[in-house]
Amino acid sequence: MFCLVSSWKFVVVHMNHESCKLWLPRWTMEKMERLLYEASLEGNLNMLLMLLQEDPLILDRVTLDRHGDTPLHIASMLGHVNFVKEVIARKPHLTMECDSQKRLPLHIASVKGHIEIVKLLLSANPETCLASDRDGRNPLHLAAVKGRCEVVKELGLAQPHAARAMVQQETILHLCVKHNQLEVLKLLIETMSDHEFINTKDADGNTILHLAVSDKQIETINFLLFNTTIEVNATNINGETLMDILAQGPRDVKDQQIIQALTRAGVVEDENESLFGQMPQNCISKMTFGDLEYYKKLNLEKDLKNNGDWLDKKRNALMVVASLIATMAFQAGTNPPSGVWQDDSTNDPLHKAGYAVMALNHPNLYHIFLASNTVGFVSTLSIILLLISGLPFVKHHVFVWGLMVTMWIATVSMSLAYMVSIWVLTPKPGSLIMNVVFGIVLIWYGLTTVLVVGHSTIRLTKNIFQKLRFSRRRPS
């Protein structure tokens, strides 16, 4: 290495400085760049000074020719304070150079927690604290994710607005909870003291308390509940409360502590279902009667939750089916079986252009057809109206049951209208094929009726069984 530099100096001594740049062999410049990178890896300040003495533009040239880590990135990553200090003193603009991930040297130093280097980089250019990498994160975000409290404090003092920058609709507080960095979370909340920012929701409508409950971070939950102004009854974009989110996760002893904390903090519950039915027996045996009451409330919520999930998943399908049935009913009502008269007749007042042929030829069957078709039409319109209403009761189990009954009425009415239409349009109504058709429709009526009644009976029996099971386990 020394021989290389010495031989290069020998060339410079015997040549004009400008001609050196023109005639210096390319392999020598590449070697010089390699020496610079080795110096940044080792933090070799003497080598850096020697290279800068021979070529004052070597740092600029390396930055210009390469798109990866610069020597300042490398030294910032490895914590070479003196090396970084010398580079910044000579070339302060290099603090704004990005690597292939759009990270500045300050991003790298913040992730690694090198506080002295962070201070040097901030003193050279405080605006670098606001720069975002390819993922939209600034140095303060990266330091928070890694739990670098000292760095977070330094960056927050330099640029307070950096903490309010959003990353994919998440705040820095969301990142702290997601990566379980409680100390950084405490530091940021105590520093900012902003009620609105603390209650900011992410893209799914979750606050930081929702995330903490989902991950069952008990210490974080207690801190947020009793040391901040977090809203304990907020819901996310799916209308889920803290108890809803807790009920979705795996069951363990932590649930008991979380429920007690949420209840003390004033979480408002509906008469819902709970986790009790799915708790392990060894966990249940350790609970007090008060704990069992909490779990009973959460277990009562399970059916409601399942109904809501089912309705969300099937909403579009139900809308399509209801719209299709409504369209069929409307078409059949305006264009009944056998069609309409095309001319007027003076002999019969019902024989007029536009009147239904069926109303004259089969008046009784026409009345049955008209009534069943109208019931089916109105039923499907009711379903469509309820599904798009957005009313708060649409996820209640009573509503889901009513929706199922209404759909049953609509399909039964349309099948009756179909049967009447076939009877009118088919010659020889007493034939064997008509008997088979009517038999199939009647069997279908019976099966759908059994399905609706059976479903209601099973749900009622299940609720009674759960209440009896809980009453048997209730301590005396």
Side-chain angles (χ1 to χ4, degrees), residues 352-384:
K352 291 184 178 293
Y355 281 17
V357 175
M358 185 178 175
L360 178 60
N361 297 336
H362 306 278
N364 294 331
L365 292 178
Y366 179 72
H367 294 155
I368 297 174
F369 167 82
L370 192 60
S372 60
N373 190 69
T374 302
V375 170
F377 182 70
V378 173
S379 299
T380 51
L381 289 182
S382 301
I383 293 172
I384 295 173

Side-chain angles (χ1 to χ4, degrees), residues 100-133:
S100 59
Q101 304 296 318
K102 291 189 64 179
R103 293 174 300 192
L104 303 180
L106 184 58
H107 286 92
I108 306 297
S110 300
V111 170
K112 302 302 291 185
H114 299 315
I115 185 65
E116 294 300 324
I117 295 180
V118 168
K119 292 179 180 180
L120 289 172
L121 294 169
L122 285 175
S123 63
N125 193 341
E127 296 300 320
T128 55
C129 188
L130 300 174
S132 299
D133 62 9

Side-chain angles (χ1 to χ4, degrees), residues 209-210 213 232-234 240-247 262 267:
L209 186 55
H210 284 98
V213 170
V232 297
N233 292 309
E240 297 170 336
T241 64
L242 298 174
M243 290 296 188
D244 295 330
I245 292 176
L246 184 62
L262 294 177
V267 174

Side-chain angles (χ1 to χ4, degrees), residues 175-205:
L175 296 177
C176 289
V177 176
K178 278 190 171 183
H179 294 85
N180 201 12
Q181 299 295 348
L182 178 57
E183 295 304 318
V184 177
L185 181 67
K186 290 180 179 179
L187 174 62
L188 290 169
I189 290 179
E190 292 170 0
T191 303
M192 302 178 73
S193 299
D194 187 334
H195 170 77
E196 183 178 352
F197 188 72
I198 292 173
N199 288 282
T200 302
K201 297 182 178 182
D202 61 13
D204 297 321

Side-chain angles (χ1 to χ4, degrees), residues 310-411:
W310 175 86
L311 188 58
D312 287 336
K313 294 176 181 178
K314 302 299 182 183
R315 184 185 299 272
N316 292 336
L318 286 173
M319 285 287 291
V320 172
V321 173
S323 301
L324 182 60
I325 295 177
T327 303
M328 293 169 53
F330 179 84
Q331 183 65 25
T334 56
N335 188 20
S338 300
V340 297
W341 297 108
Q342 302 299 318
D343 56 356
D344 295 337
S345 175
T346 57
N347 298 329
D348 196 321
L350 296 180
H351 188 153
K352 291 184 178 293
Y355 281 17
V357 175
M358 185 178 175
L360 178 60
N361 297 336
H362 306 278
N364 294 331
L365 292 178
Y366 179 72
H367 294 155
I368 297 174
F369 167 82
L370 192 60
S372 60
N373 190 69
T374 302
V375 170
F377 182 70
V378 173
S379 299
T380 51
L381 289 182
S382 301
I383 293 172
I384 295 173
L385 180 62
L386 289 174
L387 289 176
I388 66 175
S389 65
L391 296 175
F393 61 82
V394 295
K395 289 188 178 182
H396 195 274
H397 64 277
V398 175
F399 169 79
V400 176
W401 179 82
L403 190 66
M404 181 180 64
V405 172
T406 305
M407 183 60 78
W408 174 78
I409 292 173
T411 53

